[in-house]
């Protein structure tokens, strides 16, 4: 698990706002934490259901209460969010593709396609005169579907 400061520092290194071994100033860390929390709230609205993480108050020294599989997406996407604040738009060309890939992989863990079924009205066999239903379909011994006018599917 990583602390919020770890993620903020990595995001700043990705855009070139920090060098290896440097740590953000207190103001930079505070701004990064605000951006991180806002980003997590945005993710919640985009289908990444992090639950209590969005409402949990955590400081820069606290461990972010997310699985370790989320850390790549956190760092790269936070880098995209904070880059304009540091005038580092040029660094985004290298960061955005990884941010998109990692977010899409993360979102795939949370977003589920709804299960759909066929409308029963569509599956009822219809007679040969348009949508006129000639009674309840029945199945003969030869497994053909029959209506009042004869077999529909021999």
């Amino acid at each position: 698990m990583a602390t919020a400061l770890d993620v903020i520092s990595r995001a700043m290194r990705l855009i070139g706002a920090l060098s290896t071994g440097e740590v953000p100033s207190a103001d930079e860390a505070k701004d990064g934490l605000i951006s991180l929390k806002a980003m997590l709230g945005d993710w919640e609205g985009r289908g990444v259901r992090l639950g209590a993480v969005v409402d949990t108050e955590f400081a820069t020294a606290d461990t972010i209460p997310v699985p370790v599989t989320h850390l790549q997406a956190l760092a790269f996407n936070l880098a995209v969010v904070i880059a304009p604040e540091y005038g580092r738009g040029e660094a985004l060309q290298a960061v955005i593709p990884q941010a998109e890939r990692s977010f899409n992989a993360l979102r795939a863990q949370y977003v589920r396609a709804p299960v759909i079924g066929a409308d029963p009205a569509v599956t009822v066999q219809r007679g040969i005169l348009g949508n006129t239903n000639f009674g309840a379909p029945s199945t003969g011994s030869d497994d053909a579907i029959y209506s009042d006018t004869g077999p529909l599917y021999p």
Side-chain angles (χ1 to χ4, degrees), residues 60-148:
T60 55
D62 295 336
T63 299
I64 302 175
V66 297
V68 70
T69 57
H70 294 36
L71 296 179
Q72 184 84 338
L74 285 173
F76 275 86
N77 283 274
L78 184 60
V80 172
V81 170
I82 66 172
E85 296 178 37
Y86 290 93
R88 303 294 178 139
E90 73 282 352
L92 292 180
Q93 188 173 13
V95 174
I96 286 176
Q98 182 59 40
E100 289 174 342
R101 277 192 300 276
S102 61
F103 179 74
N104 289 337
L106 179 67
R107 202 165 104 176
Q109 295 177 31
Y110 289 91
V111 177
R112 298 288 181 246
V115 177
I116 61 171
D119 184 346
V122 175
T123 60
V124 172
Q125 300 301 319
R126 301 291 182 185
I128 59 171
L129 298 175
N131 284 335
T132 306
N133 191 351
F134 289 98
S138 61
T139 303
S141 61
D142 60 355
D143 288 332
I145 306 266
Y146 289 81
S147 74
D148 290 348

